[in-house]
Amino acid sequence: MHTADLLVVKIGGSLFSDKRLDRHLDPAAVRRYARIAAALHRAAPGRVVLVSGGGAYGHGAVRGLDPSEPFAALALTGANAELRWAWTVALREAGVAAFPVQFAAAAVLGPEGDARLSGEAVARLLAAGVLPVLSGDCLPDRSGRLHVVGSDLVPGALAALAPGATRIVMLTDVDGVMDGETVIPRLTPDGADAGLRALWEAPRWDTTGGMAGKLTAALEHSRKGAECVILHGARIGADPTFLLAPFEEWPRGVPRTVVAAQPPVSKTAG
Amino acid sequence: MHTADLLVVKIGGSLFSDKRLDRHLDPAAVRRYARIAAALHRAAPGRVVLVSGGGAYGHGAVRGLDPSEPFAALALTGANAELRWAWTVALREAGVAAFPVQFAAAAVLGPEGDARLSGEAVARLLAAGVLPVLSGDCLPDRSGRLHVVGSDLVPGALAALAPGATRIVMLTDVDGVMDGETVIPRLTPDGADAGLRALWEAPRWDTTGGMAGKLTAALEHSRKGAECVILHGARIGADPTFLLAPFEEWPRGVPRTVVAAQPPVSKTAG
């Protein structure tokens, strides 16, 4: 039983790459997550998209950008093309039809600066039973300045392919959004959760570094109707297909933070 | 004075790459043609697109494809991403804002198997004064089989950006379509030219290898209203901006074959 029409699996760069090293990839980790994505694709062909975090590629390209140089972010589109290709090769080796997609060629910036899909290329790949492989990219505004759209923001644009029926799984190196030692099971974007705003303004949980951007992105995606799940990549065992299932069917002992508006895409355990 | 709203410059692989070698690029040739494209972009910002031939990259990727393997052409999208990046770097060094665009992410196959642009990404780049860099690619059909769309066919899809007002310059290593020792100055797609059909069926000119595909592509583009010019890349001197001008303003001694329907985009010397 599947909860969503579209599953976007975003693999955090920390899971497969050491940002301190130039263009570093951990081949064993790439193979592991490629096998996970391949298993999901086989279980739901044409309904799974992979979004790669930047890792050493993306972060290396955007580190120390000169804000006075409108084209400074260009390096990101070059570096992330290599990264998408590495995933594509690993997914092919895992036996699935995967195809890299340059986000900047398939999306444009909206008037608010948010990226939205433009054109049918990604939808066509899915309809043909192909697994699209995306990443962050840089997109031009009307003046020609390039704006970085990080990999955490790409799933929100993809959610337009299945409005109100998209689950975004964000795999990272922590168990979710933490309140001290505890994983917060559920957050909603409307601030209705008791104390959410207060917590947000005086964070007791880890909003440093990657998680702050991830949570901001997840809240934004959930406002558009997507259901986001933040969890640790290492918690996925031999069979990852529970990621497609309603939460009440998930195996025990998989901590996660669900970020979704009410009503969510599926019944949730939270 | 400009003839067309959009100038697509397609640089033949033979001009910058030795197909016999693996992923070979001639850096001096890439620099030379990048400077030519940069000069055209500066003369008509937002109205010039570069399309790279495949050279050793594209041809290496599609050589000896197994037709029983529907995803065999995948290597092309990986190889040509590297090629677009090499052009982008050279164009940046030539001082212009160039941005690589994956054709398969910005286009889809139509019902007849012909590629058409889908989405606004390329139009946005042009409107922002950026020089898009494209190449051939492989695109999925409805069954998921990947079809090669060669670099000679990409300009036809781009012509939809300026219907009836696109000039496609195809730079290659011959002076045009040859009838024996003579360059045929003008061809039209409607078969009205005396003897064209007979010539085509029993070719006296060189239709071997690259030129056959180029001419077929040019005839197809001209049927859609584009004006195509096939000429030798080496004939372009210090100032390439004549490529933007009506033919009667071109310098003497630049042989070319114009392939265009009547009436053409511009008055022609042909």
Side-chain angles (χ1 to χ4, degrees):
Chain A
M1 180 184 165
H2 298 137
T3 53
D5 292 340
L6 181 70
L7 181 72
V8 181
V9 183
K10 191 263 166 171
I11 304 178
S14 58
L15 294 174
F16 62 85
S17 175
D18 185 336
K19 290 177 195 176
R20 294 166 304 181
L21 305 174
D22 184 42
R23 304 211 170 190
H24 173 264
L25 284 183
D26 174 347
V30 170
R31 275 197 300 276
R32 168 176 149 76
Y33 288 102
R35 280 196 300 265
I36 288 171
L40 292 166
H41 170 80
R42 271 190 285 265
R47 302 207 348 252
V48 178
V49 179
L50 177 69
V51 176
S52 174
Y57 283 77
H59 290 269
V62 299
R63 198 173 284 142
L65 290 186
D66 176 359
S68 72
E69 165 50 73
F71 236 59
L74 179 67
L76 183 63
T77 204
N80 278 0
E82 291 182 39
L83 189 56
R84 289 190 300 275
W85 186 245
W87 282 109
T88 303
V89 169
L91 286 158
R92 290 295 290 150
E93 286 168 4
V96 298
F99 194 87
V101 177
Q102 181 194 12
F103 189 64
V108 297
L109 291 182
E112 313 282 308
D114 53 317
R116 61 172 175 80
L117 282 185
S118 175
E120 298 170 51
V122 180
R124 290 284 195 100
L125 287 165
L126 289 169
V130 176
L131 173 58
V133 177
L134 286 100
S135 67
D137 210 334
C138 52
L139 276 68
D141 67 15
R142 292 183 186 282
S143 76
R145 172 178 284 271
L146 295 178
H147 294 257
V148 173
V149 177
S151 53
D152 284 328
L153 293 173
V154 171
L158 296 169
L161 294 167
T166 298
R167 175 181 280 180
I168 297 167
V169 172
M170 298 170 126
L171 300 181
T172 183
D173 59 355
V174 292
D175 275 333
V177 182
M178 306 300 291
D179 180 8
E181 300 291 302
T182 312
V183 178
I184 300 177
R186 185 174 184 91
L187 291 168
T188 61
D190 52 16
D193 272 7
L196 172 61
R197 196 172 302 273
L199 280 169
W200 182 243
E201 283 168 1
R204 297 192 321 221
W205 65 71
D206 172 24
T207 54
T208 57
M211 186 52 77
K214 219 171 292 301
L215 180 55
T216 304
L219 289 166
E220 193 174 317
H221 304 336
S222 70
R223 269 182 216 107
K224 296 177 187 162
E227 176 192 73
C228 302
V229 198
I230 303 172
L231 73 157
H232 200 307
R235 299 283 186 174
I236 301 174
D239 179 5
T241 55
F242 71 88
L243 294 171
L244 289 156
F247 294 115
E248 60 269 28
E249 296 176 17
W250 280 33
R252 293 188 173 272
V254 180
R256 73 273 186 176
T257 299
V258 176
V259 183
Q262 301 288 4
V265 172
S266 67
K267 283 174 62 183
T268 66
Chain B
M1 181 184 164
H2 299 139
T3 54
D5 292 340
L6 182 69
L7 181 73
V8 181
V9 183
K10 192 261 163 172
I11 303 177
S14 58
L15 294 173
F16 62 84
S17 176
D18 185 336
K19 289 177 198 179
R20 295 166 303 181
L21 306 174
D22 184 43
R23 305 209 170 191
H24 172 262
L25 285 183
D26 174 347
V30 170
R31 275 197 299 276
R32 168 177 148 77
Y33 289 102
R35 280 196 299 267
I36 287 171
L40 292 166
H41 171 80
R42 271 191 284 266
R47 303 211 344 255
V48 178
V49 179
L50 176 69
V51 177
S52 174
Y57 283 77
H59 290 269
V62 299
R63 198 174 284 141
L65 288 189
D66 177 359
S68 72
E69 165 50 71
F71 236 60
L74 179 67
L76 183 63
T77 203
N80 278 0
E82 292 182 38
L83 188 56
R84 289 189 299 274
W85 187 245
W87 282 108
T88 303
V89 169
L91 286 159
R92 290 295 291 150
E93 285 169 4
V96 297
F99 194 87
V101 177
Q102 182 195 11
F103 189 62
V108 296
L109 292 182
E112 313 280 310
D114 53 315
R116 61 173 175 78
L117 283 185
S118 174
E120 297 171 50
V122 180
R124 289 285 194 100
L125 287 165
L126 289 169
V130 176
L131 172 59
V133 177
L134 287 100
S135 67
D137 210 335
C138 52
L139 276 68
D141 67 16
R142 291 185 187 280
S143 77
R145 173 179 283 274
L146 296 177
H147 294 257
V148 172
V149 178
S151 53
D152 284 329
L153 293 172
V154 171
L158 296 169
L161 293 167
T166 298
R167 175 181 281 180
I168 297 167
V169 172
M170 297 172 128
L171 301 181
T172 183
D173 59 354
V174 291
D175 276 333
V177 183
M178 306 300 291
D179 181 8
E181 299 292 303
T182 313
V183 178
I184 300 176
R186 187 174 182 89
L187 290 166
T188 62
D190 52 16
D193 271 7
L196 171 62
R197 196 171 302 272
L199 280 169
W200 183 240
E201 282 166 5
R204 298 195 319 226
W205 65 71
D206 171 25
T207 55
T208 58
M211 185 53 78
K214 221 172 290 302
L215 180 54
T216 303
L219 288 167
E220 194 174 317
H221 303 335
S222 70
R223 271 183 213 106
K224 297 178 186 160
E227 175 192 74
C228 301
V229 198
I230 302 172
L231 71 157
H232 200 309
R235 299 285 187 173
I236 300 173
D239 179 4
T241 55
F242 71 88
L243 293 170
L244 290 156
F247 293 115
E248 61 267 26
E249 297 176 16
W250 280 31
R252 293 185 173 274
V254 180
R256 73 272 182 175
T257 299
V258 177
V259 183
Q262 303 285 5
V265 173
S266 68
K267 284 174 62 182
T268 66

